[in-house]
Amino acid sequence: NTKVNSDFTKKRSILTLPDLYPKIWTLTLDADYVLFLSISFEKEFQVGQEKLYFSPLMDLANREIIAYNFATRPKFSLVKKMLEQGLSRIKPAEAIIHSDQGILYGTAEWGKMLEGKAVQSMRRRGNCYDNAVIESFFAILKSECFYSRSYHSIAELQAEI
């Protein structure tokens, strides 16, 4: 076990990344911090009268989207499938999954899925900087893929993303 594993497995409450790991959050990494940091979020895209919800899981080490899912409604199954994909790519108890405080991430089922596999971290109220990396990703995605083209259906948009 690494130093970090023994520190965060004792915590049961939901914490925020900057409070939990200020060294990691400010990107002054020490050699004894071996973690997989990722961030999860969902975003709504509207095409005509239809809506498409996109839920990616980003690896903060290299800004790669390691898992994602699409749905036409913001239901738990949207983030559940994305999380299952993401957790299959990481070692148990070596990850922090950060999200906003949305209803999908505050459920008991979300917490149960993370149990023993990752530490849950949530955005602090009134602080948009916690999610700045994923929000930047969505801004680029929307400017390069969504706003610059018109789509006739959400299936067309989903294929493009």
PDB file of all heavy atoms in Angstrom, residues 113-136:
ATOM      1  N   MET A 113     -21.049   1.576  -5.687  1.00  0.00           N
ATOM      2  CA  MET A 113     -20.215   1.159  -6.821  1.00  0.00           C
ATOM      3  C   MET A 113     -18.747   1.542  -6.599  1.00  0.00           C
ATOM      4  O   MET A 113     -17.851   0.845  -7.058  1.00  0.00           O
ATOM      5  CB  MET A 113     -20.718   1.800  -8.121  1.00  0.00           C
ATOM      6  CG  MET A 113     -22.002   1.211  -8.635  1.00  0.00           C
ATOM      7  SD  MET A 113     -22.529   2.001 -10.173  1.00  0.00           S
ATOM      8  CE  MET A 113     -21.282   1.376 -11.309  1.00  0.00           C
ATOM      9  N   LEU A 114     -18.510   2.644  -5.906  1.00  0.00           N
ATOM     10  CA  LEU A 114     -17.151   3.101  -5.660  1.00  0.00           C
ATOM     11  C   LEU A 114     -16.485   2.390  -4.481  1.00  0.00           C
ATOM     12  O   LEU A 114     -15.255   2.370  -4.392  1.00  0.00           O
ATOM     13  CB  LEU A 114     -17.144   4.610  -5.393  1.00  0.00           C
ATOM     14  CG  LEU A 114     -17.480   5.504  -6.581  1.00  0.00           C
ATOM     15  CD1 LEU A 114     -17.583   6.946  -6.126  1.00  0.00           C
ATOM     16  CD2 LEU A 114     -16.466   5.347  -7.681  1.00  0.00           C
ATOM     17  N   GLU A 115     -17.285   1.807  -3.592  1.00  0.00           N
ATOM     18  CA  GLU A 115     -16.772   1.184  -2.375  1.00  0.00           C
ATOM     19  C   GLU A 115     -15.660   0.189  -2.664  1.00  0.00           C
ATOM     20  O   GLU A 115     -15.836  -0.746  -3.439  1.00  0.00           O
ATOM     21  CB  GLU A 115     -17.911   0.467  -1.649  1.00  0.00           C
ATOM     22  CG  GLU A 115     -18.116   0.916  -0.237  1.00  0.00           C
ATOM     23  CD  GLU A 115     -19.347   0.276   0.368  1.00  0.00           C
ATOM     24  OE1 GLU A 115     -19.410  -0.963   0.448  1.00  0.00           O
ATOM     25  OE2 GLU A 115     -20.252   1.048   0.729  1.00  0.00           O
ATOM     26  N   GLY A 116     -14.501   0.413  -2.058  1.00  0.00           N
ATOM     27  CA  GLY A 116     -13.363  -0.483  -2.222  1.00  0.00           C
ATOM     28  C   GLY A 116     -12.644  -0.353  -3.552  1.00  0.00           C
ATOM     29  O   GLY A 116     -11.648  -1.025  -3.786  1.00  0.00           O
ATOM     30  N   LYS A 117     -13.145   0.499  -4.428  1.00  0.00           N
ATOM     31  CA  LYS A 117     -12.549   0.650  -5.750  1.00  0.00           C
ATOM     32  C   LYS A 117     -11.980   2.038  -5.972  1.00  0.00           C
ATOM     33  O   LYS A 117     -11.005   2.205  -6.694  1.00  0.00           O
ATOM     34  CB  LYS A 117     -13.587   0.342  -6.828  1.00  0.00           C
ATOM     35  CG  LYS A 117     -14.075  -1.086  -6.762  1.00  0.00           C
ATOM     36  CD  LYS A 117     -15.169  -1.323  -7.763  1.00  0.00           C
ATOM     37  CE  LYS A 117     -15.695  -2.737  -7.591  1.00  0.00           C
ATOM     38  NZ  LYS A 117     -17.043  -2.896  -7.996  1.00  0.00           N
ATOM     39  N   ALA A 118     -12.607   3.037  -5.383  1.00  0.00           N
ATOM     40  CA  ALA A 118     -12.173   4.421  -5.572  1.00  0.00           C
ATOM     41  C   ALA A 118     -12.748   5.279  -4.451  1.00  0.00           C
ATOM     42  O   ALA A 118     -13.750   4.924  -3.836  1.00  0.00           O
ATOM     43  CB  ALA A 118     -12.634   4.954  -6.927  1.00  0.00           C
ATOM     44  N   VAL A 119     -12.127   6.406  -4.229  1.00  0.00           N
ATOM     45  CA  VAL A 119     -12.617   7.375  -3.259  1.00  0.00           C
ATOM     46  C   VAL A 119     -13.486   8.376  -3.995  1.00  0.00           C
ATOM     47  O   VAL A 119     -13.140   8.829  -5.085  1.00  0.00           O
ATOM     48  CB  VAL A 119     -11.442   8.110  -2.573  1.00  0.00           C
ATOM     49  CG1 VAL A 119     -11.934   9.268  -1.735  1.00  0.00           C
ATOM     50  CG2 VAL A 119     -10.655   7.136  -1.725  1.00  0.00           C
ATOM     51  N   GLN A 120     -14.622   8.703  -3.413  1.00  0.00           N
ATOM     52  CA  GLN A 120     -15.514   9.683  -4.013  1.00  0.00           C
ATOM     53  C   GLN A 120     -15.130  11.085  -3.556  1.00  0.00           C
ATOM     54  O   GLN A 120     -14.905  11.331  -2.384  1.00  0.00           O
ATOM     55  CB  GLN A 120     -16.957   9.395  -3.609  1.00  0.00           C
ATOM     56  CG  GLN A 120     -17.949  10.356  -4.203  1.00  0.00           C
ATOM     57  CD  GLN A 120     -19.378  10.010  -3.843  1.00  0.00           C
ATOM     58  OE1 GLN A 120     -19.638   9.148  -3.015  1.00  0.00           O
ATOM     59  NE2 GLN A 120     -20.310  10.685  -4.476  1.00  0.00           N
ATOM     60  N   SER A 121     -15.058  11.984  -4.512  1.00  0.00           N
ATOM     61  CA  SER A 121     -14.805  13.392  -4.235  1.00  0.00           C
ATOM     62  C   SER A 121     -15.863  14.189  -4.976  1.00  0.00           C
ATOM     63  O   SER A 121     -16.212  13.856  -6.104  1.00  0.00           O
ATOM     64  CB  SER A 121     -13.407  13.763  -4.732  1.00  0.00           C
ATOM     65  OG  SER A 121     -13.245  15.155  -4.747  1.00  0.00           O
ATOM     66  N   MET A 122     -16.381  15.231  -4.331  1.00  0.00           N
ATOM     67  CA  MET A 122     -17.398  16.062  -4.978  1.00  0.00           C
ATOM     68  C   MET A 122     -16.982  17.516  -4.974  1.00  0.00           C
ATOM     69  O   MET A 122     -16.279  17.969  -4.080  1.00  0.00           O
ATOM     70  CB  MET A 122     -18.744  15.930  -4.274  1.00  0.00           C
ATOM     71  CG  MET A 122     -19.440  14.657  -4.551  1.00  0.00           C
ATOM     72  SD  MET A 122     -21.114  14.750  -3.919  1.00  0.00           S
ATOM     73  CE  MET A 122     -21.908  13.589  -4.989  1.00  0.00           C
ATOM     74  N   ARG A 123     -17.452  18.222  -5.976  1.00  0.00           N
ATOM     75  CA  ARG A 123     -17.174  19.650  -6.121  1.00  0.00           C
ATOM     76  C   ARG A 123     -17.710  20.400  -4.909  1.00  0.00           C
ATOM     77  O   ARG A 123     -18.777  20.109  -4.395  1.00  0.00           O
ATOM     78  CB  ARG A 123     -17.850  20.172  -7.389  1.00  0.00           C
ATOM     79  CG  ARG A 123     -17.638  21.648  -7.632  1.00  0.00           C
ATOM     80  CD  ARG A 123     -18.355  22.084  -8.889  1.00  0.00           C
ATOM     81  NE  ARG A 123     -19.781  22.182  -8.718  1.00  0.00           N
ATOM     82  CZ  ARG A 123     -20.405  23.253  -8.243  1.00  0.00           C
ATOM     83  NH1 ARG A 123     -19.727  24.318  -7.902  1.00  0.00           N
ATOM     84  NH2 ARG A 123     -21.701  23.268  -8.123  1.00  0.00           N
ATOM     85  N   ARG A 124     -16.940  21.391  -4.504  1.00  0.00           N
ATOM     86  CA  ARG A 124     -17.399  22.256  -3.412  1.00  0.00           C
ATOM     87  C   ARG A 124     -18.448  23.218  -3.946  1.00  0.00           C
ATOM     88  O   ARG A 124     -18.374  23.675  -5.087  1.00  0.00           O
ATOM     89  CB  ARG A 124     -16.219  23.053  -2.854  1.00  0.00           C
ATOM     90  CG  ARG A 124     -15.197  22.161  -2.199  1.00  0.00           C
ATOM     91  CD  ARG A 124     -14.032  22.959  -1.718  1.00  0.00           C
ATOM     92  NE  ARG A 124     -13.251  23.389  -2.876  1.00  0.00           N
ATOM     93  CZ  ARG A 124     -12.126  24.069  -2.799  1.00  0.00           C
ATOM     94  NH1 ARG A 124     -11.648  24.417  -1.641  1.00  0.00           N
ATOM     95  NH2 ARG A 124     -11.468  24.413  -3.880  1.00  0.00           N
ATOM     96  N   ARG A 125     -19.402  23.555  -3.135  1.00  0.00           N
ATOM     97  CA  ARG A 125     -20.451  24.502  -3.543  1.00  0.00           C
ATOM     98  C   ARG A 125     -19.827  25.863  -3.831  1.00  0.00           C
ATOM     99  O   ARG A 125     -19.002  26.353  -3.065  1.00  0.00           O
ATOM    100  CB  ARG A 125     -21.494  24.651  -2.448  1.00  0.00           C
ATOM    101  CG  ARG A 125     -22.336  23.422  -2.286  1.00  0.00           C
ATOM    102  CD  ARG A 125     -23.519  23.707  -1.371  1.00  0.00           C
ATOM    103  NE  ARG A 125     -24.175  22.470  -1.001  1.00  0.00           N
ATOM    104  CZ  ARG A 125     -25.091  21.869  -1.741  1.00  0.00           C
ATOM    105  NH1 ARG A 125     -25.461  22.388  -2.871  1.00  0.00           N
ATOM    106  NH2 ARG A 125     -25.639  20.745  -1.338  1.00  0.00           N
ATOM    107  N   GLY A 126     -20.251  26.448  -4.928  1.00  0.00           N
ATOM    108  CA  GLY A 126     -19.807  27.789  -5.278  1.00  0.00           C
ATOM    109  C   GLY A 126     -18.378  27.872  -5.760  1.00  0.00           C
ATOM    110  O   GLY A 126     -17.816  28.949  -5.870  1.00  0.00           O
ATOM    111  N   ASN A 127     -17.753  26.732  -6.062  1.00  0.00           N
ATOM    112  CA  ASN A 127     -16.371  26.739  -6.533  1.00  0.00           C
ATOM    113  C   ASN A 127     -16.298  25.977  -7.845  1.00  0.00           C
ATOM    114  O   ASN A 127     -16.236  24.754  -7.865  1.00  0.00           O
ATOM    115  CB  ASN A 127     -15.440  26.100  -5.498  1.00  0.00           C
ATOM    116  CG  ASN A 127     -13.987  26.204  -5.889  1.00  0.00           C
ATOM    117  OD1 ASN A 127     -13.655  26.536  -7.019  1.00  0.00           O
ATOM    118  ND2 ASN A 127     -13.111  25.922  -4.953  1.00  0.00           N
ATOM    119  N   CYS A 128     -16.267  26.702  -8.938  1.00  0.00           N
ATOM    120  CA  CYS A 128     -16.256  26.075 -10.256  1.00  0.00           C
ATOM    121  C   CYS A 128     -14.882  25.534 -10.637  1.00  0.00           C
ATOM    122  O   CYS A 128     -14.747  24.772 -11.581  1.00  0.00           O
ATOM    123  CB  CYS A 128     -16.726  27.062 -11.310  1.00  0.00           C
ATOM    124  SG  CYS A 128     -15.658  28.511 -11.434  1.00  0.00           S
ATOM    125  N   TYR A 129     -13.839  25.897  -9.898  1.00  0.00           N
ATOM    126  CA  TYR A 129     -12.480  25.502 -10.280  1.00  0.00           C
ATOM    127  C   TYR A 129     -12.239  24.011 -10.116  1.00  0.00           C
ATOM    128  O   TYR A 129     -11.389  23.443 -10.781  1.00  0.00           O
ATOM    129  CB  TYR A 129     -11.452  26.303  -9.482  1.00  0.00           C
ATOM    130  CG  TYR A 129     -11.613  27.787  -9.698  1.00  0.00           C
ATOM    131  CD1 TYR A 129     -12.050  28.608  -8.669  1.00  0.00           C
ATOM    132  CD2 TYR A 129     -11.373  28.345 -10.948  1.00  0.00           C
ATOM    133  CE1 TYR A 129     -12.226  29.966  -8.878  1.00  0.00           C
ATOM    134  CE2 TYR A 129     -11.551  29.699 -11.168  1.00  0.00           C
ATOM    135  CZ  TYR A 129     -11.975  30.507 -10.129  1.00  0.00           C
ATOM    136  OH  TYR A 129     -12.151  31.831 -10.344  1.00  0.00           O
ATOM    137  N   ASP A 130     -12.985  23.348  -9.246  1.00  0.00           N
ATOM    138  CA  ASP A 130     -12.825  21.905  -9.072  1.00  0.00           C
ATOM    139  C   ASP A 130     -13.067  21.153 -10.380  1.00  0.00           C
ATOM    140  O   ASP A 130     -12.451  20.132 -10.630  1.00  0.00           O
ATOM    141  CB  ASP A 130     -13.815  21.375  -8.032  1.00  0.00           C
ATOM    142  CG  ASP A 130     -13.459  21.757  -6.616  1.00  0.00           C
ATOM    143  OD1 ASP A 130     -12.506  22.523  -6.421  1.00  0.00           O
ATOM    144  OD2 ASP A 130     -14.138  21.281  -5.706  1.00  0.00           O
ATOM    145  N   ASN A 131     -13.989  21.639 -11.189  1.00  0.00           N
ATOM    146  CA  ASN A 131     -14.351  20.965 -12.433  1.00  0.00           C
ATOM    147  C   ASN A 131     -13.810  21.671 -13.670  1.00  0.00           C
ATOM    148  O   ASN A 131     -14.262  21.425 -14.779  1.00  0.00           O
ATOM    149  CB  ASN A 131     -15.875  20.856 -12.538  1.00  0.00           C
ATOM    150  CG  ASN A 131     -16.449  19.944 -11.500  1.00  0.00           C
ATOM    151  OD1 ASN A 131     -15.782  19.038 -11.024  1.00  0.00           O
ATOM    152  ND2 ASN A 131     -17.679  20.184 -11.119  1.00  0.00           N
ATOM    153  N   ALA A 132     -12.846  22.547 -13.503  1.00  0.00           N
ATOM    154  CA  ALA A 132     -12.350  23.361 -14.613  1.00  0.00           C
ATOM    155  C   ALA A 132     -11.821  22.527 -15.772  1.00  0.00           C
ATOM    156  O   ALA A 132     -12.044  22.859 -16.936  1.00  0.00           O
ATOM    157  CB  ALA A 132     -11.268  24.325 -14.117  1.00  0.00           C
ATOM    158  N   VAL A 133     -11.164  21.424 -15.486  1.00  0.00           N
ATOM    159  CA  VAL A 133     -10.573  20.607 -16.554  1.00  0.00           C
ATOM    160  C   VAL A 133     -11.656  19.994 -17.433  1.00  0.00           C
ATOM    161  O   VAL A 133     -11.591  20.076 -18.656  1.00  0.00           O
ATOM    162  CB  VAL A 133      -9.663  19.508 -15.960  1.00  0.00           C
ATOM    163  CG1 VAL A 133      -9.128  18.602 -17.051  1.00  0.00           C
ATOM    164  CG2 VAL A 133      -8.525  20.134 -15.183  1.00  0.00           C
ATOM    165  N   ILE A 134     -12.674  19.403 -16.818  1.00  0.00           N
ATOM    166  CA  ILE A 134     -13.738  18.779 -17.618  1.00  0.00           C
ATOM    167  C   ILE A 134     -14.611  19.840 -18.288  1.00  0.00           C
ATOM    168  O   ILE A 134     -15.074  19.654 -19.410  1.00  0.00           O
ATOM    169  CB  ILE A 134     -14.566  17.775 -16.783  1.00  0.00           C
ATOM    170  CG1 ILE A 134     -15.368  16.829 -17.685  1.00  0.00           C
ATOM    171  CG2 ILE A 134     -15.474  18.467 -15.796  1.00  0.00           C
ATOM    172  CD1 ILE A 134     -14.580  15.740 -18.328  1.00  0.00           C
ATOM    173  N   GLU A 135     -14.814  20.970 -17.630  1.00  0.00           N
ATOM    174  CA  GLU A 135     -15.579  22.053 -18.250  1.00  0.00           C
ATOM    175  C   GLU A 135     -14.827  22.599 -19.476  1.00  0.00           C
ATOM    176  O   GLU A 135     -15.444  22.945 -20.478  1.00  0.00           O
ATOM    177  CB  GLU A 135     -15.858  23.176 -17.249  1.00  0.00           C
ATOM    178  CG  GLU A 135     -16.875  22.812 -16.189  1.00  0.00           C
ATOM    179  CD  GLU A 135     -18.302  22.653 -16.702  1.00  0.00           C
ATOM    180  OE1 GLU A 135     -18.560  22.775 -17.927  1.00  0.00           O
ATOM    181  OE2 GLU A 135     -19.175  22.392 -15.862  1.00  0.00           O
ATOM    182  N   SER A 136     -13.513  22.665 -19.396  1.00  0.00           N
ATOM    183  CA  SER A 136     -12.705  23.088 -20.542  1.00  0.00           C
ATOM    184  C   SER A 136     -12.858  22.090 -21.693  1.00  0.00           C
ATOM    185  O   SER A 136     -12.984  22.472 -22.859  1.00  0.00           O
ATOM    186  CB  SER A 136     -11.237  23.204 -20.130  1.00  0.00           C
ATOM    187  OG  SER A 136     -10.431  23.508 -21.233  1.00  0.00           O
TER     188      SER A 136
END
